Amino acid sequence: MPQSAATISGIQRMVLYETRARYFLVGTNQAQTKHRVLKIDRTEPKDLVIIDDKHVYNQQEVWELLGRLDLGNRTKIGQKGSSGLSRSLSAFGIVGFVRFLEGYYIVLITKRRKMADIGGHSIYKIEDTSMIYIPNDSVRVTHPDEARYVRIFQNVDLSSNFYFSYSYDLSHSLQYNLTLLQRPYELWSSPTSSAEEEVQKQSKHDSFDIFEDEGLPTQVVYGLQSEPYYKYVWNGKLLERVKDIVHRDWLMYIIHGFCGQSKLLIYGRPVHITLIARRSSKFAGTRFLKRGANCEGDVANEVETEQIVNDASVMSLTAGSYSSYVQVRGSVPLYWSQDISTMMPKPPIRLDQADPYAHVAALHFDQMLQRFGSPIIILNLVKKREKRKHERILSEELYPAVINLNQFLPPENCIEYLAWDMARYTKSKLCNVLDRLSMIAENVTGVLRTNCVDCLDRTNTAQFMVGKCALAYQLYALGMIDKPKLQFDTDCVRLFEELYEDHGDTLSLQYGGSQLVHRVKTYRKIAPWTQHSKDIMQTLSRYYSNAFSDADRQDAINLFLQVYQPSESRPHLWELPTDFYLHQRNTMALPLDRRSYTMWWSAGVLSYLPVPYDEVSCEDTMKKVKVRRANRFEESIDIYTEFFKPYELTSFDDTFCIAMTNSAREFMPKTVGVDPSPFTVRKPEETGKSVLGSKSSKEETLLQRKTAASAPPPPSEEAISSTSEDDSEDDRDDDASVSQRSTPIKLLTESGESTRTQEIQQQSVKEPYGLNLAEFPAAKDLLIYEREPVSCFPEDSIYSLSPPQVDRDSREEFESSVLTGRGQVRALCREDMLMYREYVKNRYM
């Protein structure tokens, strides 16, 4: 047997010892037969220096080592009474290492609780942790904001629904883990096993002193373990600093979500039903602050739920009988959000960015296809019929995106799309919601991706019904029942329903701030009358959490996941007006070239550029930039270069941020309801008039709404707040004749119309095109018309002609088109920005 297989299978217990100069973390397996030692230097104020001892100790050798360390660190040789080595605490695992503005901290698991058992592999829940500052007080360099970052970091309650296992990879599904176990040993044994053998052949005395070879790279030997799926790992960034330094046995990856296990007897045979929910660490956050998807295809509130059924009489992954089914929930993969500044229970939904080629949806489904294969089935539960469009906006964008993507997939691998208005059917006395969900579940043959708007109440009930159907087939496949059918109100289904209720409550608390409002019993219409008062309290709790505590929770998540890393040269986390650029990294690159600067200068956002705090105060610099923006463009470029050249910046993410919102409306013209575009279809008498002209007839209004470039203004907050979100079955679409993005518009009154129309027309022409057509042309412009005439005859005419000269702008435009055709996109210029404004205005407003 290769030597690497004899290494520790897993470090399950740890003891932290300390001296003034070092921490010594001693780890051992469950039987305490093999030990490893990790040395952490405490003399470095900001750097993390870790030495992993290469030797595997037995218990006697560890006691001898600790005795040496105790004796060697006493003040005087032979001194008794005071110890040179003190025991700090006991632990069960390392969460990770984190640094803010001072030195590093180590986060250790100090209390655990067993939650489930899968084939003899225990799954634990973190019950308590300890966060220990590593540098000694004598070398500590204090910072006034350090304590505030520590408080924000600790707002992520690690004792709330974080799970780990020493021997089972929770980030992967059971199918993946079983496939890994069936691989030949040679395919995943360590390539450094020969080097490890040489280390083990050394005498115990040679490898006994852990201070030997200090500073040299440690030989790392990997056991029989796979690489985790980092999308569902929550401490990946916290371990990134040490994962290539320490032995693999020290690394323990945790997931966030839910884990529960029910045990039942079926005709005398013990059966375990395990539910594991893995919450994605990508684009993670709270309800209204994380909606839709980021530029990499990661969606908000994405959770992979796996239900595992196994015969508990044989507790072995290789010899036992196991069945697993996976389904996914997640926000609609579009660029969308809700404006929480209105303080409404249900803020209006808005599409923030145009995505005509469904790029973000393609990235999202790419991830799913790579992980699960095909078919991917979408169950969309958002409302279809509403008095005023709210949820329906998302369906009208998602369905065309799926149709667009399917034309690039083989027919057998196409994404299946199912849309069902669950809320509307719930109010109907003639429709049984759960029966309809059972029919959908029976036809699901692949991985089901379920979503409503929040992916909470409706989604959890739908996932329960699909899981109930899958459970029947799982028990049937294991030979527990004679047909794949399970009835309600049986002990098996009751326990399974309670498991999914706990699952839904936990995920809802993590994302929405309250437990489920509508449960399975609500949709079965058997909920007791006391449940209504509980639903009201949960709704109020969710609203309070979303309005007052979600911002702090979002900051804590960003800091814990290291989406934001504090630095002396960056604004503090609490000073950022938005975390948009933290989760949309690809949108923030800003090369220091003329074209890129032109784009930001024309957009009017350069006044928000702060510089590093330790060099120049942000406030002073902002004032200077604001003053200079009023001057010539050429001078503005010089000021820009003068201010930022010493810092050699390459992107916004290096040292400073932009005060951006998650909406493109911030960069749109103020008179967005007026359309001066020359490409608008109008009647002959409307030439030169505003779209919102003096005509007030119904026919003209409809013509304006159907005009290709028309863009009516958004509805007022009063109109939105007065809109009911409930859909009765006799609701009618009162905007059926309007395009899917339009909203009712108000025509101008007759009195004073002509004057107001002329003012709006002049203002709107000046804003998009940068010209005021009402002013008399300048003298230099009039000189253009006074040039000598140029003949259009060939060269044998009496006029001497030269070949036409192509100006620089035309050349650049041609070169840009050629490069774009080759896939090389040039930097945006002012004209591009204006064109994009016009496009967004016409399509979304």
Side-chain angles (χ1 to χ4, degrees), residues 411-685:
E412 64 273 13
N413 302 118
C414 282
I415 303 169
E416 299 182 22
Y417 180 86
L418 302 174
W420 185 52
D421 191 341
M422 184 173 172
R424 177 169 175 260
Y425 276 82
T426 302
K427 299 177 182 180
S428 173
K429 298 180 180 180
L430 303 177
C431 178
N432 189 314
V433 174
L434 299 189
D435 286 348
R436 181 65 179 271
L437 288 173
S438 295
M439 294 174 57
I440 294 174
E442 289 287 344
N443 295 320
V444 172
T445 59
V447 175
L448 182 68
R449 186 198 187 278
T450 309
N451 74 269
C452 50
V453 174
D454 298 325
C455 302
L456 297 179
D457 300 356
R458 283 172 278 179
T459 297
N460 198 71
T461 300
Q463 285 196 332
F464 162 73
M465 291 304 299
V466 175
K468 172 180 172 291
C469 178
L471 176 63
Y473 282 94
Q474 288 176 302
L475 294 174
Y476 177 75
L478 295 177
M480 302 290 182
I481 56 178
D482 55 356
K483 59 181 180 180
K485 292 291 182 181
L486 292 175
Q487 300 297 326
F488 271 107
D489 302 320
T490 60
D491 291 341
C492 177
V493 175
R494 191 185 73 254
L495 288 174
F496 188 68
E497 181 180 341
E498 291 177 358
L499 199 61
Y500 258 94
E501 294 286 330
D502 293 342
H503 162 266
D505 284 339
T506 302
L507 299 182
S508 183
L509 278 168
Q510 293 167 9
Y511 182 65
S514 74
Q515 295 181 343
L516 292 172
V517 177
H518 303 297
R519 302 172 178 273
V520 176
K521 290 183 176 60
T522 305
Y523 291 101
R524 290 185 69 190
K525 300 181 180 179
I526 62 172
W529 64 272
T530 56
Q531 184 64 40
H532 297 292
S533 60
K534 294 181 180 178
D535 292 347
I536 294 174
M537 293 304 298
Q538 295 298 341
T539 302
L540 294 176
S541 175
R542 184 176 294 181
Y543 174 71
Y544 176 84
S545 175
N546 299 155
F548 300 105
S549 64
D550 277 6
D552 294 335
R553 291 172 57 208
Q554 185 67 58
D555 286 345
I557 292 173
N558 291 339
L559 190 61
F560 183 85
L561 294 174
Q562 298 289 278
V563 177
Y564 173 88
Q565 298 181 9
S567 172
E568 293 284 354
S569 59
R570 302 180 65 182
H572 292 302
L573 179 60
W574 52 87
E575 293 176 342
L576 299 179
T578 175
D579 67 347
F580 174 79
Y581 84 100
L582 298 177
H583 296 270
Q584 308 277 355
R585 293 184 179 274
N586 292 350
T587 64
M588 295 308 298
L590 182 64
L592 299 182
D593 60 84
R594 182 185 179 90
R595 282 186 176 275
S596 299
Y597 181 81
T598 306
M599 178 186 70
W600 294 105
W601 187 87
S602 63
V605 299
L606 284 183
S607 58
Y608 299 98
L609 291 179
V611 297
Y613 289 168
D614 57 347
E615 298 289 345
V616 184
S617 68
C618 174
E619 182 180 357
D620 292 341
T621 305
M622 289 174 63
K623 288 181 180 178
K624 292 177 182 177
V625 175
K626 286 182 179 179
V627 171
R628 294 294 186 177
R629 280 185 62 244
N631 299 334
R632 295 181 297 107
F633 177 70
E634 297 294 337
E635 184 179 357
S636 183
I637 294 181
D638 297 336
I639 296 300
Y640 175 83
T641 307
E642 176 187 349
F643 275 15
F644 298 112
K645 186 177 180 180
Y647 306 107
E648 299 180 355
L649 306 179
T650 57
S651 68
F652 279 100
D653 195 43
D654 288 340
T655 52
F656 53 85
C657 69
I658 278 187
M660 289 187 65
T661 66
N662 56 353
S663 173
R665 299 185 183 185
E666 302 296 330
F667 302 103
M668 293 181 183
K670 302 302 180 184
T671 55
V672 75
V674 181
D675 180 26
S677 172
F679 304 103
T680 303
V681 179
R682 300 188 179 91
K683 295 179 181 180
E685 63 271 19

